[in-house]
Amino acid sequence: AGYMAAVHVKMGGYKRLALVGNRDEWPSAVIFREGFYEAVKDFQHSFDESKNLFLRHGGFLQYERPEIQEFKDFLRTAGEPIGLAVVTHGLGGLVREQAEACGLSVPEQVGIVCPMMMDHHDQGVFDSLSFNFTAIIKSAIDAVTAQVWYAPKQLIAPELIKRGSVLAQNVVR
């Protein structure tokens, strides 16, 4: 999903890509980060933490904390439209608030895409990568209940749901 998020904002025409999130070590958070890193390296041939990463401890944009100013500076110094893969929809809302406080508009100057960890296609305001948990669980049950155990042969990719928080594909700037 992290790779797909990076591809989505890159195809929106954003020159700089960044991951915004918490320093969580949940398996899904680690996998999302690793996928994002891999995509940025594929596109830019390098990964610069100062430009492509803004990770802090939980709740960093919810309260009057120094991290808010750090994040605003991170956005302002982009110098070009920036595409953000944000780890949750809740954090996405806070990111949008801070971008707007800097005078930056979504999606023109800041694109936002978030994973959606629930089967709620009708919820959310950001472009999302939605996971079909019913299909994932069915695949896992089929694998463990088979007469002969087998590793699932196919991953169930998340579905991209567009809600207008990332520019349309192939936008020329």
Side-chain angles (χ1 to χ4, degrees):
Y3 197 99
M4 284 180 68
V7 168
H8 181 55
V9 291
K10 180 69 173 172
M11 291 186 71
Y14 301 95
K15 303 295 183 208
R16 181 170 156 193
L17 309 180
L19 175 66
V20 178
N22 303 323
R23 294 189 184 278
D24 293 336
E25 292 302 320
W26 293 85
S28 61
V30 171
I31 291 168
F32 189 83
R33 279 197 307 264
E34 291 300 320
F36 181 83
Y37 297 163
E38 185 179 329
V40 171
K41 288 176 189 174
D42 285 350
F43 301 143
Q44 300 174 354
H45 308 295
S46 67
F47 187 89
D48 181 343
E49 286 193 11
S50 69
K51 293 181 179 182
N52 302 120
L53 188 63
F54 192 90
L55 294 180
R56 298 298 185 271
H57 296 289
F60 67 89
L61 292 179
Q62 294 176 332
Y63 311 103
E64 287 299 320
R65 295 174 56 171
E67 288 90 344
I68 292 175
Q69 189 58 48
E70 287 177 39
F71 184 69
K72 287 180 178 179
D73 292 344
F74 181 80
L75 290 176
R76 286 187 187 118
T77 60
E80 56 194 357
I82 185 169
L84 303 176
V86 182
V87 298
T88 67
H89 271 258
L91 184 56
L94 298 169
V95 164
R96 172 182 265 181
E97 285 175 19
Q98 297 307 320
E100 290 172 351
C102 291
L104 301 171
S105 61
V106 175
E108 293 79 10
Q109 295 166 299
V110 178
I112 300 173
V113 62
C114 308
M116 181 168 275
M117 299 300 180
M118 296 179 234
D119 289 328
H120 299 297
H121 290 239
D122 59 339
Q123 296 180 357
V125 296
F126 301 108
D127 287 18
S128 302
L129 295 162
S130 179
F131 293 84
N132 182 339
F133 285 109
T134 303
I136 292 169
I137 291 168
K138 181 182 180 322
S139 175
I141 290 170
D142 289 349
V144 298
T145 59
Q147 292 289 13
V148 176
W149 188 87
Y150 67 94
K153 302 209 182 327
Q154 144 183 3
L155 295 177
I156 299 170
E159 173 188 1
L160 176 63
I161 301 170
K162 296 180 182 182
R163 295 189 176 95
S165 64
V166 171
L167 289 171
Q169 292 183 357
N170 302 318
V171 171
V172 177
R173 295 180 187 262

